[in-house]
């Protein structure tokens, strides 16, 4: 994550989700930016990890027309009995196969948006924001990995009197947060695992710099909604939830709310489209009783305004 580009005009965005109700208060538009320095095993948006555009292949749409093979200047595609093979070392993500495919089975994820284009897009739902108390949320990936775009873009949103939220993993350099925070109304912060060794193993980065930022964010004067994804075998212990909740209660006076988000594996297909392995493909949903117990433990530790959400399974383990 660099400090360069204070005032970048363009960002690589992989999704603009309108009518979102899970990324802050009210009806919102969530803009998902590409690039994340973490590599969480359960990442729900695997297309958000790489900072560059990527090619997706939708197996269920493919009719074997072979137009993509003819269109590819790099000879990066091969149609096999097992499906389309993409040589991702050769692929330059030029998008010619996407244009050629008559079944829309290939798609480049990650397009360049200018500040102007994005502002026009997010303002389409301005009246919904006003009536519902919503606004815009920047997520990802890790939006702070494109901080040079995020700071001036959020400043423009504020100039339009839009409510702004930043959904961050807490990993960026503090000097970057200092540039972005003046334009943010609400912070959404993920705290996943409080054991340093386990954290590094599952997210690929050290825990301490994140906690250091979390303390500062919690004292920045901005409201913070802290979130913990409950991931089977990784974050789903009462001790872990207690440790996060205690940290939130004791070290983050700005924390307004604590959310526990139950795991689901709906992202499996997206991993396949990217040619990536999803390590938690076989993992089961968490039980409702477990989520209730996590919530109770978090309340006991003093975390504010605790909620849980997400799909759960009914049967006993
Ligand atoms: S994106 Fe371009 S280089 Fe990559 S497979 Fe398609 S046509 Fe070939
Ligand atoms: S921090 Fe979020 S976007 Fe980054 S790898 Fe983890 S789950 Fe994915």
């Amino acid at each position: 994550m660099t400090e360069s580009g204070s005032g970048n005009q363009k960002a690589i965005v992989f999704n603009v989700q309108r009518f979102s109700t899970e990324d802050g208060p009210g009806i919102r538009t969530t803009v998902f930016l590409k690039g994340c320095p973490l590599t969480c095993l359960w990442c729900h948006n695997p297309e958000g990890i790489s900072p560059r555009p990527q090619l997706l292949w939708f197996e269920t749409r493919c009719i074997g027309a072979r137009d993509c093979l003819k269109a590819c200047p790099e000879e990066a595609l091969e149609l096999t009995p097992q499906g389309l093979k993409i040589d991702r070392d050769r692929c330059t993500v030029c998008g010619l196969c996407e244009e050629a495919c008559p079944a829309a089975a290939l798609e480049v994820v990650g397009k360049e948006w200018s500040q102007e284009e994005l502002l026009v897009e997010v303002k389409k739902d301005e009246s919904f924001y006003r009536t519902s108390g919503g606004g815009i949320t920047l997520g990802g990936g890790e939006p702070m990995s494109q901080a040079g775009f995020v700071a001036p873009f959020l400043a423009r949103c504020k100039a339009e009197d839009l409510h702004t939220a930043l959904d961050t993993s807490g990993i960026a350099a503090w000097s970057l947060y200092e540039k972005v925070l003046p334009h943010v109304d609400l912070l959404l912060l993920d705290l996943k695992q409080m054991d340093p060794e386990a954290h590094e193993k599952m997210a690929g980065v050290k825990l301490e710099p994140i906690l250091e930022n979390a303390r500062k964010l919690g004292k920045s004067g901005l409201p913070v909604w802290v979130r913990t994804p409950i991931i089977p075998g990784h974050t789903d212990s009462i001790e872990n939830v207690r440790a996060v909740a205690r940290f939130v209660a004791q070290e983050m006076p700005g924390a307004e709310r604590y959310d526990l988000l139950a795991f689901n594996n709906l992202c499996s297909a997206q991993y396949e489209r990217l040619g990536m392995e999803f390590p938690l493909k076989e993992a089961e949903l968490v039980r409702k009783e477990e989520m209730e117990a996590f919530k109770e433990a978090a309340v006991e530790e003093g975390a504010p305004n605790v909620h849980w959400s997400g799909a759960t399974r009914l049967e006993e383990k």
Side-chain angles (χ1 to χ4, degrees):
M1 230 170 284
T2 66
E3 297 213 27
S4 67
S6 52
N8 290 357
Q9 285 307 305
K10 297 203 166 178
I12 308 279
V13 169
F14 66 90
N15 192 12
V16 178
Q17 192 179 321
R18 295 168 69 185
F19 300 103
S20 149
T21 52
E22 290 173 4
D23 302 310
I27 294 173
R28 314 189 69 80
T29 296
T30 304
V31 178
F32 294 88
L33 290 104
K34 251 180 155 302
C36 182
L38 277 69
T39 50
C40 303
L41 295 176
W42 57 83
C43 182
H44 208 62
N45 294 322
E47 70 275 45
I49 296 178
S50 164
R52 288 176 292 281
Q54 287 168 289
L55 188 61
L56 301 173
W57 176 61
F58 293 77
E59 182 174 8
T60 49
R61 295 184 198 162
C62 183
I63 52 172
R66 307 184 76 87
D67 299 64
C68 56
L69 276 68
K70 290 175 223 150
C72 179
E74 307 296 332
E75 297 184 357
L77 299 174
E78 186 191 350
L79 198 56
T80 74
Q82 289 74 43
L84 190 71
K85 292 270 167 284
I86 302 169
D87 183 337
R88 291 181 186 272
D89 292 331
R90 295 182 88 118
C91 174
T92 57
V93 201
C94 68
L96 290 173
C97 55
E98 179 184 27
E99 283 169 27
C101 178
L106 286 155
E107 199 177 295
V108 173
V109 64
K111 302 259 161 75
E112 246 185 19
W113 286 72
S114 70
Q115 293 198 20
E116 201 53 48
E117 287 165 337
L118 207 46
L119 197 60
V120 169
E121 185 67 18
V122 302
K123 284 192 71 181
K124 283 181 183 167
D125 294 329
E126 199 173 351
S127 57
F128 292 105
Y129 310 154
R130 304 255 175 250
T131 48
S132 69
I136 85 135
T137 300
L138 296 190
E142 169 52 69
M144 291 299 291
S145 65
Q146 298 192 56
F149 177 91
V150 165
F153 178 69
L154 289 180
R156 291 183 73 167
C157 291
K158 288 310 305 167
E160 300 281 339
D161 200 24
L162 300 176
H163 180 273
T164 59
L166 178 76
D167 182 359
T168 179
S169 62
I171 189 68
W174 186 251
S175 56
L176 293 178
Y177 282 115
E178 282 178 323
K179 289 186 180 134
V180 170
L181 294 187
H183 316 298
V184 173
D185 293 313
L186 171 70
L187 285 160
L188 306 175
L189 175 72
D190 272 18
L191 290 179
K192 312 165 207 298
Q193 167 59 262
M194 294 303 269
D195 177 79
E197 215 174 296
H199 187 277
E200 198 167 346
K201 218 164 156 187
M202 70 181 70
V205 299
K206 291 200 181 300
L207 173 64
E208 193 43 46
I210 291 176
L211 293 187
E212 218 171 283
N213 281 339
R215 287 185 191 99
K216 290 182 187 166
L217 294 171
K219 291 173 186 145
S220 65
L222 289 172
V224 190
W225 292 10
V226 181
R227 310 196 288 188
T228 299
I230 299 297
I231 311 296
H234 295 281
T235 65
D236 64 336
S237 71
I238 288 282
E239 299 71 44
N240 184 48
V241 171
R242 279 193 183 281
V244 179
R246 207 157 44 235
F247 180 90
V248 172
Q250 293 176 0
E251 310 230 28
M252 298 185 67
E256 220 176 45
R257 173 176 168 135
Y258 179 44
D259 284 285
L260 299 157
L261 312 176
F263 162 85
N264 69 61
N265 59 10
L266 294 176
C267 55
S268 288
Q270 190 73 336
Y271 277 82
E272 281 165 23
R273 291 171 196 141
L274 287 162
M276 291 166 71
E277 190 65 33
F278 181 38
L280 298 181
K281 196 162 52 180
E282 307 298 335
E284 291 189 304
L285 298 182
V286 185
R287 282 186 299 120
K288 183 173 176 231
E289 294 72 17
E290 292 174 287
M291 293 305 294
E292 295 287 358
F294 292 137
K295 178 180 169 181
E296 206 180 303
V299 171
E300 276 172 20
E301 295 296 336
N305 204 1
V306 184
H307 299 261
W308 74 264
S309 60
T312 51
R313 71 190 162 97
L314 295 174
E315 79 275 21
E316 290 295 319
K317 261 184 185 169

